[in-house]
Amino acid sequence: MDINEDIKNNSINRDFNVDLKEKNSKNKSILNIGLIFGILLIIFFNLTSIPSRDKDVVIHVSANDSLVKITDELKKYKVIKYPFILKIYISIISSDKKIPVGDYLFKKGENPWSVGIQLGRGIHGVDRIKVTFKEGLTNEQMADILANKIQIFRRDLFLSDERSKQGYLFPDTYFFYPLTTTDEILNELTINFKKRISTINKEIKDSGKSLSDIIIMASILEKEANGKEDSPIISGILWKRINLGMPLQVDAAPSTYKNADLPKKPISNPGLSSIMFALKPINSPYLFYLHDDSGQVHYAKDFSAHRSNIARYLK
């Protein structure tokens, strides 16, 4: 290669590298200016867009609430002035624009950036309420508990909703926000039931009985039996009576004194233990049972022995 040409090429490369460095420097300067401008803009809106209100505000966010609905509600209660600014803040803070469900407490004088952090990161500032439903409660008893715990609970909606099927609201310990809706409560109870039942699908299938019959029997066992000692034996006695065409004759379900079958619907909301006892009864020679005043169970093979137990233990 000619030495002059080589010198010329080196000169061109140097000029190109200089131009590239100058362009990169300009781009970085523009980026830095933009970043500084953005920060100044955030500071400006943070200082100038704090609404004047003299009290704290609590709002509830449900699963299907859009960001538009949430920001509009915050504007309505004077938590923010400009919904579009809050949307920008949330997009900066969180890549997921879906706000976590629950109650949010916003202190008076709180700036929009702090509001955005709370929503974007799911910082509620509100304690959830512990609600425990014991096994064997009826829907009405559950409604009584909820009415005393949750501020906006609607007893009428809870009892009339199509999801509020007695026997299928799983008794458990739940944690609800003070402004949790009745709709959300029903969803959580029914979803929990489906989740728990899914763990024993094979046992249900192998039993040869319908889920409905199993839940009805389990709901009876919650009232008639006293736990793992006598529940499986009483379960076996009651299934045996059904197979023989005998009335169940359980006090908790008056219709069973007339009809030789299970009640049409569950009489309570059973727990998983009673459901398993209904699924896996213990066969025994007994056909009758009773509880004495202390709760102890006394079994009998026939009605004559049962009458003797009545005379002896139910004086």
Side-chain angles (χ1 to χ4, degrees):
M1 181 182 292
D2 188 278
I3 190 166
N4 291 327
E5 186 177 346
D6 190 34
I7 293 170
K8 182 181 179 181
N9 287 337
N10 287 336
S11 177
I12 291 171
N13 288 335
R14 282 196 301 271
D15 292 342
F16 175 77
N17 288 333
V18 169
D19 289 343
L20 187 61
K21 287 180 180 179
E22 287 177 353
K23 285 181 181 179
N24 287 339
S25 179
K26 287 179 181 178
N27 288 338
K28 286 181 180 178
S29 296
I30 292 171
L31 185 63
N32 289 335
I33 291 170
L35 185 61
I36 292 169
F37 178 76
I39 293 172
L40 290 174
L41 197 62
I42 289 174
I43 293 171
F44 171 76
F45 276 109
N46 244 20
L47 295 175
T48 62
S49 60
I50 301 174
S52 58
R53 55 187 171 88
D54 57 1
K55 60 181 180 180
D56 299 340
V57 171
V58 177
I59 70 161
H60 182 76
V61 174
S62 296
N64 296 322
D65 286 352
S66 67
L67 192 53
V68 171
K69 179 181 177 182
I70 295 167
T71 53
D72 285 348
E73 186 173 6
L74 291 172
K75 182 181 179 182
K76 173 185 173 184
Y77 289 109
K78 296 183 178 180
V79 175
I80 59 171
K81 276 187 179 180
Y82 308 113
F84 77 94
I85 293 296
L86 182 59
K87 292 172 191 173
I88 294 172
Y89 288 172
I90 290 172
S91 67
I92 294 172
I93 294 161
S94 173
S95 58
D96 185 4
K97 293 184 180 179
K98 198 70 178 175
I99 306 301
V101 171
D103 292 1
Y104 288 86
L105 168 64
F106 301 104
K107 299 283 189 177
K108 61 181 179 179
E110 191 170 356
N111 64 63
W113 179 253
S114 296
V115 173
I117 289 175
Q118 272 192 255
L119 292 170
R121 296 180 181 173
I123 302 170
H124 297 273
V126 177
D127 292 331
R128 292 185 295 171
I129 299 168
K130 181 179 179 180
V131 179
T132 299
F133 300 117
K134 294 181 180 179
E135 292 86 350
L137 293 180
T138 64
N139 282 14
E140 287 78 10
Q141 289 171 324
M142 284 185 167
D144 289 340
I145 292 170
L146 288 164
N148 288 326
K149 295 273 191 177
I150 307 300
Q151 293 178 20
I152 60 171
F153 175 71
R154 289 281 304 276
R155 182 187 177 91
D156 57 332
L157 294 180
F158 182 84
L159 296 175
S160 63
D161 193 282
E162 62 179 9
R163 291 163 295 177
S164 186
K165 295 178 180 178
Q166 187 155 276
Y168 301 87
L169 300 179
F170 198 79
D172 207 341
T173 294
Y174 298 86
F175 292 89
F176 300 119
Y177 286 100
L179 298 180
T180 298
T181 66
T182 303
D183 179 75
E184 289 170 330
I185 292 171
L186 279 167
N187 270 344
E188 192 156 345
L189 267 63
T190 53
I191 288 171
N192 194 18
F193 174 86
K194 291 175 183 177
K195 179 181 177 182
R196 296 303 188 96
I197 288 297
S198 69
T199 64
I200 55 171
N201 278 338
K202 186 179 184 304
E203 287 88 342
I204 294 171
K205 185 177 180 181
D206 292 346
S207 73
K209 299 178 176 67
S210 69
L211 175 62
S212 175
D213 284 354
I214 291 166
I215 297 300
I216 292 171
M217 178 61 80
S219 74
I220 292 172
L221 293 176
E222 288 287 3
K223 303 293 186 182
E224 287 289 303
N226 292 322
K228 63 181 181 180
E229 294 293 329
D230 52 287
S231 290
I233 298 175
I234 292 177
S235 176
I237 291 171
L238 295 179
W239 284 121
K240 186 191 295 186
R241 287 184 185 178
I242 289 173
N243 292 333
L244 292 173
M246 290 177 57
L248 293 181
Q249 295 185 328
V250 293
D251 293 341
S255 66
T256 59
Y257 277 88
K258 297 179 180 179
N259 304 319
D261 205 347
L262 287 166
K264 292 182 179 180
K265 297 178 181 179
I267 62 172
S268 70
N269 290 291
L272 198 60
S273 294
S274 290
I275 293 172
M276 290 303 299
F277 293 137
L279 269 172
K280 297 183 176 182
I282 288 179
N283 292 322
S284 71
Y286 306 119
L287 198 54
F288 298 91
Y289 67 93
L290 61 81
H291 294 84
D292 63 23
D293 292 338
S294 66
Q296 185 176 348
V297 183
H298 302 276
Y299 300 102
K301 294 180 180 179
D302 53 42
F303 187 65
S304 175
H306 182 57
R307 261 193 326 185
S308 297
N309 283 343
I310 292 174
R312 183 176 180 181
Y313 297 111
L314 298 182
K315 295 178 181 180

